[in-house]
Amino acid sequence: MNQKKFQHPGYAPLPYRLVLLLLLILLQACSTTPDKQPTDSGMVFFPPLPNPPRIQYLTSFSSSIDINPPDTNFESYILGKDKYKNAIPINKPYGVQMHKGKIYVVDIRGAGYDILDLENNKFSVVQGAGGGSMPKPINITIDENGYKYITDTQRNQVLVFNQHEKFVQAFGVKGQFRPGDTAIVGDKLFIADLKDNEIEVLNKNTGVLQYKIGRTGKKDGELFTPTNIKIGPDNHLYVSETGNFRVQKFTLDGQHVRNYGGIGTSIGKFARPKGIALDRDGRLLIVDSAYENVQIMDKDGKLLMFFGKPGNLPEHMNLPADIDVTYEIQYFQQYAHPDFKLEYIILLSNQFGSTKINAYGVGRMKDMDYVEETVNKGK
């Protein structure tokens, strides 16, 4: 039989190598392996191998594509369809916190906050309207009931959204404060006030002012540009002061305990400290947005290590702002080296650059000798 009569007039047999290439593309497109599945050659550690590493860069999230990649198939590759055309970007993130399988990211340019649902591979955006509008949201704190407290420096209020992302109420009247960050203990809502350089403590339910911590100044117990705050496992308040180049520790009723850092270029000093977090053992993690790194200290201010630097690679930092520690390691195990045992995850927001939310794993490599760290437990 003459097979040519069944061929389209414009048909020409594909070269053998091109056929193989197209088949490989098809197999790759149909694969269920995550886009970010790591390989040994692409893994980054701090300190770098062959030193015993304590931190591994795991992955990053910059848009909805990184949470819910679209279906990619043979047709997409052949026709050149752009899989990123419908992606929702994370524009300029500041606050970041993980809660029950979801990463919440406050997007200053997005007029709301993004939800990166790692459990269900979904990406969504909460943009409040009316009383819940967020013209310039900065930071987020999530309480044990799943309520979100969003600071907005244009409205100069703290906005509250419930576990279903519905607006509930707003705290703050005209001229009361310019909120940068919040922290929660029981029924107390601590608010870092950038206007009056103090911490206002409100009743979390009623918004009634209970007391204030600090005043403008540089002495112990005084504050200047308190940008970020956290409650530690020792039940103390930690305040990051960009203007005083340090972190201060207070009792919950406002008594000064100690300082960390100060202005300088040496290790243990800061140029622009912002986000802070604490792990379960009381280690203090401090973001320096000027040096574009993170320093890790024990409760006495001893520097244990630092990591990060500016650059264009995924693991690099570009104007880092906020930091969070989460023990939900199950969502990140796939990115870790098989022999690197994760202890917890560090999430870091970058306001610029190609990667907006970086995830780093703290852990230890199997069969490597580590010098034991002296980390004093919190009070």
Side-chain angles (χ1 to χ4, degrees):
M1 179 181 294
N2 186 358
Q3 191 174 2
K4 289 186 178 180
K5 66 180 181 180
F6 297 104
Q7 296 174 354
H8 189 277
Y11 171 83
L14 291 173
Y16 178 70
R17 290 184 179 180
L18 179 58
V19 172
L20 286 179
L21 176 61
L22 292 176
L23 287 174
L24 287 172
I25 292 174
L26 177 60
L27 289 173
Q28 182 181 10
C30 297
S31 172
T32 58
T33 303
D35 288 347
K36 293 175 177 290
Q37 189 69 23
T39 59
D40 288 348
S41 61
M43 293 185 176
V44 178
F45 295 96
F46 307 93
L49 296 173
N51 302 288
R54 286 295 278 129
I55 295 175
Q56 180 189 344
Y57 164 76
L58 300 176
T59 188
S60 60
F61 307 98
S62 300
S63 75
S64 57
I65 293 294
D66 298 314
I67 299 299
N68 185 21
D71 293 333
T72 56
N73 51 36
F74 182 76
E75 183 183 15
S76 295
Y77 281 97
I78 298 302
L79 299 181
K81 290 184 177 179
D82 184 3
K83 72 175 184 176
Y84 295 98
K85 64 181 180 181
N86 295 320
I88 303 172
I90 300 174
N91 297 292
K92 189 177 181 180
Y94 194 110
V96 59
Q97 185 172 345
M98 188 163 186
H99 180 75
K100 295 184 177 180
K102 299 177 181 178
I103 302 174
Y104 294 81
V105 180
V106 177
D107 193 339
I108 297 176
R109 291 180 180 167
Y113 59 92
D114 303 322
I115 304 175
L116 288 61
D117 186 345
L118 304 187
E119 178 70 30
N120 300 297
N121 295 320
K122 293 182 179 180
F123 184 101
S124 58
V125 180
V126 176
Q127 291 180 313
S133 64
M134 294 173 278
K136 194 173 182 180
I138 298 294
N139 235 319
I140 184 170
T141 301
I142 306 174
D143 70 12
E144 59 185 6
N145 297 316
Y147 278 64
K148 294 91 188 173
Y149 295 77
I150 310 293
T151 57
D152 191 296
T153 56
Q154 184 169 319
R155 288 185 54 165
N156 290 327
Q157 289 184 313
V158 177
L159 311 180
V160 185
F161 293 79
N162 66 17
Q163 64 268 46
H164 305 295
E165 318 310 332
K166 302 298 182 182
F167 172 69
V168 176
Q169 60 183 327
F171 295 134
V173 297
K174 185 176 181 179
Q176 181 176 354
F177 46 57
R178 185 169 183 257
D181 197 8
T182 59
I184 297 171
V185 178
D187 63 355
K188 293 180 179 179
L189 175 64
F190 294 78
I191 301 174
D193 182 6
L194 296 165
K195 180 176 71 71
D196 295 321
N197 296 306
E198 62 188 14
I199 308 298
E200 290 201 12
V201 184
L202 310 185
N203 181 287
K204 186 181 74 171
N205 302 309
T206 66
V208 174
L209 177 65
Q210 297 185 338
Y211 57 93
K212 298 181 180 182
I213 298 173
R215 62 180 181 180
T216 302
K218 297 184 178 181
K219 297 178 181 178
D220 292 350
E222 297 178 341
L223 302 169
F224 189 53
T225 322
T227 55
N228 292 72
I229 58 178
K230 279 291 190 300
I231 304 297
D234 55 1
N235 216 33
H236 282 67
L237 174 68
Y238 292 78
V239 182
S240 177
E241 300 175 77
T242 300
N244 277 335
F245 314 100
R246 66 186 180 187
V247 173
Q248 287 197 72
K249 178 179 178 180
F250 295 87
T251 61
L252 295 185
D253 61 1
Q255 300 301 311
H256 176 265
V257 177
R258 64 157 296 134
N259 300 333
Y260 301 85
I263 188 171
T265 58
S266 60
I267 57 175
K269 301 295 184 179
F270 304 106
R272 194 175 177 83
K274 283 194 173 181
I276 50 177
L278 294 102
D279 67 14
R280 289 174 179 170
D281 292 321
R283 301 180 185 92
L284 179 62
L285 295 84
I286 306 167
V287 175
D288 194 312
S289 63
Y291 294 143
E292 296 182 306
N293 65 13
V294 174
Q295 298 192 52
I296 304 178
M297 300 179 175
D298 68 12
K299 83 175 190 69
D300 295 319
K302 175 186 176 182
L303 182 70
L304 300 176
M305 70 172 292
F306 65 91
F307 71 98
K309 63 180 181 179
N312 297 318
L313 296 178
E315 69 272 14
H316 289 161
M317 300 179 185
N318 285 275
L319 197 63
D322 197 23
I323 190 170
D324 185 45
V325 165
T326 176
Y327 286 81
E328 299 183 57
I329 63 175
Q330 66 270 29
Y331 299 106
F332 301 90
Q333 192 66 58
Q334 61 177 315
Y335 307 111
H337 187 286
D339 294 330
F340 192 68
K341 184 179 179 181
L342 295 177
E343 298 170 6
Y344 60 85
I345 305 300
I346 298 170
L347 297 174
L348 179 98
S349 63
N350 292 301
Q351 295 196 286
F352 293 102
S354 59
T355 58
K356 298 304 174 65
I357 303 297
N358 284 2
Y360 305 86
V362 177
R364 293 171 182 261
M365 191 71 78
K366 180 181 178 182
D367 297 330
M368 280 194 171
D369 294 327
Y370 287 82
V371 176
E372 289 301 319
E373 303 154 347
T374 303
V375 180
N376 297 313
K377 308 296 182 181
K379 294 181 180 179

